[in-house]
Amino acid sequence: KMPSDDLKLFTAIIVAIFSSVAMSGIPGGGGTGELVLCTIFFPEQLAVAYPFALALGNLVDPPATMVNAAGDYVASFIVERFVNGKDWLQKKLNQK
């Protein structure tokens, strides 16, 4: 019996989340996550599905990396403002 579409969707989301957390710091780690997803969901069509997923991942990865890097700076500035107050940047500059 084939699993329902809802179960397949839930499994795909869980596998994608776990692989993205585990491989986010590895250069090219997305390719490994795509291989895992394709192996689980398209084992008979792996020769077609994996290159397609890899090509799509190479298109999506640079903008995602840019947003991730910019988001890190924004989050650190927000935390710094909450911790050290509104004029935290001027205080840091005047200390030097």
Side-chain angles (χ1 to χ4, degrees):
K1 181 180 174 187
M2 292 295 292
S4 71
D5 290 338
D6 291 338
L7 181 61
K8 279 183 165 182
L9 178 64
F10 180 72
T11 306
I13 290 171
I14 294 299
V15 169
I17 289 171
F18 285 150
S19 66
S20 69
V21 168
M23 294 175 240
S24 63
I26 302 170
T32 307
E34 292 159 357
L35 179 61
V36 169
L37 281 173
C38 289
T39 304
I40 291 172
F41 294 103
F42 307 107
E44 293 86 22
Q45 299 90 7
L46 189 61
V48 175
Y50 182 60
F52 181 74
L54 199 58
L56 188 61
N58 285 336
L59 292 174
V60 172
D61 189 47
T65 301
M66 179 190 66
V67 169
N68 184 14
D72 291 345
Y73 284 115
V74 170
S76 66
F77 286 140
I78 291 171
V79 169
E80 186 72 24
R81 178 168 179 184
F82 278 123
V83 170
N84 293 320
K86 187 175 181 179
D87 297 329
W88 66 270
L89 183 57
Q90 289 300 323
K91 292 175 189 173
K92 294 281 183 182
L93 291 174
N94 290 335
Q95 286 178 355
K96 292 184 179 185

